[in-house]
Amino acid sequence: MAPTSTPETPFGRALTAMVTPFTPDGSLDLEGAQRLAAYLVDAGNDGLVVNGTTGESPTTSDAEKAALVRAVLEAVGDRAQVIAGVGTNDTAHTVELAREAERIGAHGLLVVTPYYNKPPQEGLFRHFTAAADATGLPVMLYDIPGRAGVAIATETMVRLAEHPRIVANKDAKGDLAAAAWAIARTDLAWYSGDDMLNLPLLSIGAAGFVSVVGHLVTPELRMMLDAFLAGSTDKAAEIHQRLLPVFTGIFRTQGVITTKAALALQGLPAGPLRLPLVEATEAEIAQLTQDLAAGGVHL
């Protein structure tokens, strides 16, 4: 069994969706990725998601994705879960990526809702089932209608939860009522995919979170999580409220842009972004620095 895996928390509790560091010329920085992965695990992450949206997966090649998973596994694979993002809007391609991730040794798969082509619910069901059937790895669904253009309906989620390898959902739907019903009706481990809703989702039964701000505040997120699990809900709420400026600041623009800017200011591996994403402007960096300072993060 992979590190920190239990039936209730198959991927651990605190995970960060890792950026993909690039060198100044825009090529993959595998040494930087290893240093960043080790830094994040040392900070308290149970797992890392690589090749997700925050990892700029739309602009990395299949070969780069495989190299990144391999490098991160080498750096932290005995200490943390390494979940490979393999979702695309092409089911056959997703299956290929899933099989390659399994071959390399990933501990699990993140499969996002197919984007742009807006399939009906039956199409979503067949897509996710095909991905889960392709390997022996546990699967975390990723429900993010704001990017995908279509949501996974609760009834579809209930059907998918019957698959033995679909064990979790990363929820970026922003619908606490839908989340509550799905948590109540399935045995899926629920992970917040929206930092602003980390604590609210924990309060209705989530197992943990897949964070972007975890690049900067994993120790604080762990304190919040531990306080909540210990029954100290007032303390958890206090920490959550203290971090609100951080959540706001990172998502004033696309989160990869601000996260890479913050990492660079801290001297951590990040590098440039690949088009169509662009580097933060001076004004955006100034605002980010102000937001993070308000949340206790001084760059």
Side-chain angles (χ1 to χ4, degrees), residues 5-57:
S5 174
T6 71
E8 294 76 26
T9 57
F11 301 109
R13 290 192 182 276
L15 297 88
T16 290
M18 200 177 96
V19 302
T20 298
F22 297 124
T23 63
D25 69 2
S27 59
L28 195 61
D29 181 4
L30 292 177
E31 189 273 335
Q34 290 187 318
R35 285 197 291 122
L36 181 60
Y39 170 83
L40 291 171
V41 174
D42 288 344
N45 282 284
D46 300 322
L48 301 173
V49 172
V50 297
N51 295 326
T53 309
T54 306
E56 296 179 72
S57 60

Side-chain angles (χ1 to χ4, degrees), residues 3 15-16 52 59 80 84 90 124 127 133 140 146 151 173 203 243 252-253 282-283 291-292 294:
L15 297 88
T16 290
T59 56
D90 173 354
L124 296 184
H127 173 84
D133 284 344
M140 180 188 292
K173 186 181 286 182
S203 76
L243 292 174
R252 285 188 186 274
T253 184
E282 289 186 10
D291 289 332
L292 294 182

Side-chain angles (χ1 to χ4, degrees), residues 169-289:
N169 180 54
K170 179 184 175 186
D171 182 0
K173 186 181 286 182
D175 186 339
L176 288 174
W181 273 113
I183 291 168
R185 294 181 60 194
T186 74
D187 60 358
L188 293 174
W190 212 259
Y191 290 85
S192 171
D194 180 345
D195 279 303
M196 192 66 81
L197 296 182
N198 286 347
L199 182 58
L201 281 166
L202 286 173
S203 76
I204 59 171
F209 42 78
V210 179
S211 175
V212 174
V213 302
H215 285 91
L216 306 172
V217 291
T218 286
E220 292 81 359
L221 291 175
R222 283 229 72 117
M223 286 173 56
M224 184 270 289
L225 177 62
D226 292 343
F228 178 82
L229 294 173
S232 300
T233 54
D234 287 349
K235 181 179 179 182
E238 177 188 335
I239 297 168
H240 179 77
Q241 290 164 8
R242 193 162 67 238
L243 292 174
L244 290 176
V246 179
F247 303 154
T248 297
I250 286 294
F251 294 106
R252 285 188 186 274
T253 184
Q254 215 275 4
V256 185
I257 295 172
T258 43
T259 299
K260 281 197 164 182
L263 289 171
L265 289 171
Q266 292 182 309
L268 291 166
L273 295 98
R274 288 183 176 176
L275 288 171
L277 298 183
V278 295
E279 277 67 45
T281 65
E282 289 186 10
E284 287 171 335
I285 292 172
Q287 179 65 62
L288 175 65
T289 302

